[in-house]
Amino acid sequence: MRGARVVALREHVAAIRSAMAELSLHEWAGRQPSAQPMRGRAIAYGTMLADNTPIVVRHSRHGGLLVPLTRDLFVRPTRAPLELEIALRLAAAGVRTPRVVAYAVYPTFPPFARADVATERLYGLPFPEAWERAERDAERDAMIEAVIDLLQSLKRAGALHPDLNARNILILDGGPRVAAVLDVDRIVFPAAGTGAAAAANATRLLRSLTGARLGLGRELDEAQLAAIRATGATT
């Protein structure tokens, strides 16, 4: 697409270039026969690049009360480069999160631009759905262990996730239970150290897990909640 600034992993440059020959990355993804709509702040699409790489493409949008005004306009260079930087830093620290495969920034009128981000597609279920589908206590215990491992990895990375809710934790398919964290573009790394960040992450997640809006048919027991709470303790 003319005028777009695109950054992609070297091994996927040709596939991204082909996808964006005439369309934005998000438009291209939505038109693919294999496209699977995924609802969140806005519709994202799960699809496949020409090189058979499964990806999720989303168009960056604001949240909150100012959405009618800000919509999808961001001050250049938008949050897309920051998301790539955060994802790389998390991966280097051992935090499981989807890789950023590519992003595209589309200039509009100064100083604003729009952006699309394509991330690696990880197959699994958000924690609430995985929890509800589990048939045995052992499966649920394994999920809690996976969540604790994820929280511990965020703690080691010194990462504070301002929106660490149950739906931003993906329980991956297959093999030993592994959890990945989603929506990392707002993560920060406070200079004060890992303790406060870990406590905040645990508090936010516990608030989500015990909130009425989540509507879990089977609630976490006190021992499971205590194990999650313990990840925020200082050592």
Side-chain angles (χ1 to χ4, degrees):
M1 185 176 180
R2 291 185 62 183
R5 179 177 181 268
V6 183
V7 174
L9 293 175
R10 184 177 291 108
E11 61 266 34
H12 302 301
V13 167
I16 294 293
R17 182 180 288 122
S18 173
M20 296 187 64
E22 298 180 1
L23 300 169
S24 74
L25 190 55
H26 190 258
E27 290 170 334
W28 168 84
R31 295 188 187 187
Q32 298 312 293
S34 62
Q36 294 180 307
M38 301 175 175
R39 297 201 175 269
R41 182 176 294 172
I43 294 178
Y45 294 102
T47 189
M48 195 81 72
L49 287 174
D51 60 11
N52 294 320
T53 301
I55 58 172
V56 175
V57 182
R58 75 177 187 281
H59 184 62
S60 298
R61 291 185 181 275
H62 290 279
L65 297 176
L66 296 180
V67 168
L69 295 176
T70 54
R71 297 173 295 153
D72 61 349
L73 294 173
F74 292 80
V75 175
R76 298 181 195 177
T78 77
R79 294 189 62 83
L82 179 61
E83 181 171 350
L84 172 59
E85 179 183 334
I86 292 169
L88 290 172
R89 182 167 176 176
L90 292 174
V95 179
R96 189 66 186 268
T97 191
R99 292 189 309 160
V100 175
V101 174
Y103 69 78
V105 176
Y106 315 98
T108 55
F109 51 91
F112 299 105
R114 297 182 170 94
D116 295 333
V117 179
T119 56
E120 167 192 23
R121 183 172 184 181
L122 299 178
Y123 291 92
L125 290 172
F127 180 89
E129 283 81 354
W131 184 262
E132 292 297 312
R133 291 193 186 188
E135 297 179 351
R136 299 187 302 273
D137 288 342
E139 293 180 77
R140 293 188 176 90
D141 288 342
M143 285 184 216
I144 297 300
E145 290 176 9
V147 169
I148 289 170
D149 287 344
L150 179 63
L151 290 171
Q152 294 287 10
S153 69
L154 287 168
K155 184 175 184 177
R156 291 191 295 271
L160 171 61
H161 195 315
D163 190 23
L164 189 59
N165 63 72
R167 298 190 186 281
N168 278 339
I169 293 179
L170 188 70
I171 303 297
L172 303 187
D173 292 342
R177 293 286 184 179
V178 177
V181 63
L182 307 178
D183 290 352
V184 302
D185 60 309
R186 294 175 59 207
I187 279 181
V188 294
F189 300 88
T194 62
N201 288 337
T203 298
R204 285 185 176 87
L205 181 57
L206 287 167
R207 187 182 302 128
S208 170
L209 289 170
T210 56
R213 289 179 60 186
L214 196 59
L216 292 179
R218 176 170 177 167
E219 297 180 353
L220 280 69
D221 63 34
E222 185 51 43
Q224 292 163 337
L225 293 172
I228 291 172
R229 189 177 299 113
T231 65
T234 57
T235 55

